[in-house]
Amino acid sequence: MKVRFAPSPTGVPHIGNTRTALFDYLLARKNKGIFILRIEDTDQKRLVEGAEEKIEEILDWLGISPDEKLKQSERLDTYKKYAKELVEKGVAYEKDGAIYVKVPDEKKLSWTDAVGNKQISFEGKDVEDFVVLKSDGYPTYHLASVVDDHLTEITHVIRGEEWISSVPKHLFIYESLGWKPPVFVHLPVILSTDKSKLSKRHGAKSVLELRDEGYLKEAIINFMALLGWNPGGDKEVMSLEEMVNLFDLKDVNVSNPIFDIKKLDWMNGVWIRKLSVEELAKRVGSKDLKLVELAQSRMTTLNDFGILTNFFYEKPKIKLDQSDRIVVERLAKELSNVKTWKTEEILLVLKKVMIEEKVKMKVLYKIFTGSESGLPLPQSLEILGKEKTFERLNV
């Protein structure tokens, strides 16, 4: 089995495109096959500098690196050869330096798509003449993808269902050149919460953007896999290895999945709590294991660690009113009597002050941290230490 992920480096692919790469990887690994990265850079006018490197960075970071890499701009002579062969066979014609293919009106082009195992057919009269080689010598997607899929012996073509209308053109090229077509696998399109197609205009992000926002690669991969695939049962949290073992094309859904950021947040929190304290400390860049352990259960993303623990490293700027100052003085007096600086004793003092001064815990949070909520305050003050706690009280 051989599959390919064939992005065009016209920008950084968003999560919908990267899902295709993940499904390619899962299918290849499940069947001990080969996964190829093919850079489709034949549309030279739309290329974005650095996009190719970003595509590779995404795959490497996620841990789904390809076995081989191919670049279409390095294979122009190959495409010209087959474009001319189509002309010689009488199924293509030249016009203004470009080569077009014409599908006969009476031709019927059909295939069984692996998603839903459904039969799809097109009439030749409904397929317009299409360019296979542009006047600049570069092939179009229709010719280059067919030639490369054949020459690299691709067995399964996985892509979004928006490409279904291109298949009859491709089938005609396969037939005209005497080649056997691969199995076509058209994945359901991912929708945004308003049921429109997921796009960058609707907040679709790249994996690299999600990484920078503090999402774990384990959570992103897990979340992406479930956008259109369900292995059965109610199991949702799975490692990449588990997904490889379970993956089967028959379990790819026909219905369009919804990109729900709340689901990703939930899943990211689950994966954060699955990490060891040592591993989480490494990922947030902290050497304080006690602090990481305290924050772990309250984090949705890795970036939350900085927000939750900022006051440990930097004294917050807080505006206190007169009633707050009275509470501060009371806290200073009571905390100065704490003999062993441990969570239990600190908690007793905080409770005493709250009861006798008739204030809520959020007032104490604000005095120490600048926020009205956060990590458990008694444990936080134990880690902060007595000296720094009193610094926070300006005492």
Side-chain angles (χ1 to χ4, degrees):
M1 182 175 284
K2 290 181 88 172
V3 296
R4 83 310 194 263
F5 175 50
S8 178
T10 53
V12 182
H14 70 57
I15 198 165
N17 304 108
T18 307
R19 175 194 63 166
T20 300
L22 174 60
F23 281 23
D24 277 314
Y25 178 90
L26 294 175
L27 188 63
R29 291 293 171 267
K30 173 68 181 285
N31 294 280
K32 310 231 173 351
I34 294 171
F35 171 41
I36 297 173
L37 169 63
R38 186 170 75 214
I39 301 296
E40 299 199 338
D41 57 347
T42 58
D43 191 346
Q44 294 286 296
K45 292 175 185 171
R46 294 179 59 230
L47 297 187
V48 172
E49 191 175 345
E52 184 180 333
E53 291 74 17
K54 294 289 187 188
I55 290 165
E56 292 192 64
E57 185 182 348
I58 287 171
L59 301 182
D60 289 344
W61 183 71
L62 289 175
I64 56 172
S65 299
D67 303 303
E68 300 172 15
K69 184 186 172 187
L70 191 69
K71 201 167 175 178
Q72 288 187 332
S73 60
E74 297 170 354
R75 299 161 60 81
L76 299 185
D77 289 343
T78 301
Y79 308 125
K80 285 177 187 172
K81 172 190 166 187
Y82 289 107
K84 286 178 179 172
E85 187 174 326
L86 290 171
V87 173
E88 289 164 7
K89 287 177 179 287
V91 295
Y93 60 91
E94 296 189 54
K95 185 180 175 183
D96 298 327
I99 294 179
Y100 291 75
V101 165
K102 177 173 179 59
V103 179
D105 287 354
E106 67 279 5
K107 192 79 188 162
K108 188 172 183 182
L109 299 153
S110 307
W111 77 98
T112 301
D113 207 279
V115 175
N117 202 34
K118 56 184 181 288
Q119 181 82 7
I120 302 175
S121 296
F122 281 80
E123 302 287 338
K125 62 182 173 60
D126 297 323
V127 181
E128 75 280 5
D129 291 12
F130 58 97
V131 177
V132 289
L133 195 72
K134 295 176 283 188
S135 56
D136 63 3
Y138 279 83
T140 62
Y141 169 76
H142 303 303
L143 178 66
S145 65
V146 168
V147 169
D148 285 338
D149 285 342
H150 173 72
L151 295 181
T152 57
E153 301 176 313
I154 298 300
T155 59
H156 292 71
V157 168
I158 302 178
R159 57 192 173 194
E161 65 180 28
E162 64 268 28
W163 293 105
I164 284 177
S165 61
S166 296
V167 179
K169 298 172 183 176
H170 300 173
L171 286 175
F172 186 65
I173 295 175
Y174 276 110
E175 185 181 312
S176 300
L177 292 171
W179 297 341
K180 181 185 175 186
V183 174
F184 292 106
V185 185
H186 288 97
L187 305 177
V189 172
I190 302 171
L191 304 180
S192 57
T193 48
D194 66 359
K195 301 294 175 72
S196 61
K197 183 185 171 186
L198 189 70
S199 68
K200 297 208 171 181
R201 286 196 303 274
H202 290 92
K205 294 177 179 176
S206 76
V207 164
L208 299 181
E209 287 175 297
L210 292 172
R211 178 192 66 184
D212 293 344
E213 290 176 10
Y215 291 93
L216 302 181
K217 62 183 177 183
E218 293 90 343
I220 295 172
I221 282 179
N222 196 167
F223 176 74
M224 276 197 304
L226 296 178
L227 290 172
W229 172 66
N230 185 338
D234 54 5
K235 185 176 175 65
E236 287 194 301
V237 180
M238 293 172 278
S239 67
L240 185 57
E241 293 72 26
E242 286 176 293
M243 289 186 278
V244 165
N245 290 330
L246 291 168
F247 194 77
D248 194 311
L249 287 177
K250 69 177 174 54
D251 297 322
V252 175
N253 301 329
V254 177
S255 56
N256 301 105
I258 303 290
F259 181 94
D260 183 357
I261 194 69
K262 290 179 183 173
K263 177 83 174 278
L264 177 56
D265 287 343
W266 168 79
M267 191 164 275
N268 205 58
V270 170
W271 275 102
I272 282 176
R273 285 178 277 290
K274 281 170 75 74
L275 296 177
S276 67
V277 174
E278 292 76 14
E279 176 61 25
L280 181 56
K282 196 188 300 179
R283 298 208 195 184
V284 296
S286 174
K287 293 178 180 176
D288 193 330
L289 295 184
K290 278 189 177 178
L291 198 52
V292 172
E293 188 174 14
L294 188 61
Q296 186 169 22
S297 64
R298 288 161 179 81
M299 291 166 61
T300 298
T301 71
L302 295 179
N303 293 2
D304 288 341
F305 182 75
I307 297 165
L308 288 166
T309 64
N310 187 51
F311 84 95
F312 283 86
Y313 307 102
E314 194 176 310
K315 185 177 177 180
K317 293 175 183 174
I318 308 161
K319 286 187 178 178
L320 300 176
D321 56 30
Q322 189 55 39
S323 62
D324 291 335
R325 292 184 193 283
I326 292 168
V327 176
V328 167
E329 289 172 12
R330 185 68 194 277
L331 282 167
K333 180 186 173 186
E334 296 294 342
L335 287 170
S336 65
N337 295 325
V338 174
K339 290 184 172 59
T340 53
W341 196 254
K342 293 292 181 186
T343 296
E344 295 75 19
E345 291 204 32
I346 295 168
L347 177 59
L348 289 174
V349 169
L350 298 183
K351 282 183 173 178
K352 182 180 181 185
V353 172
M354 284 167 60
I355 292 167
E356 294 181 3
E357 296 298 331
K358 297 184 174 58
V359 293
K360 293 185 177 178
M361 181 61 91
K362 67 179 183 180
V363 174
L364 305 191
Y365 263 112
K366 190 177 82 169
I367 287 169
F368 287 109
T369 72
S371 300
E372 292 190 348
S373 61
L375 299 178
L377 197 53
Q379 289 96 318
S380 296
L381 296 181
E382 181 188 327
I383 294 170
L384 187 64
K386 193 168 187 176
E387 187 181 330
K388 282 194 174 179
T389 296
F390 278 84
E391 279 179 22
R392 298 295 188 270
L393 293 170
N394 288 318
V395 177

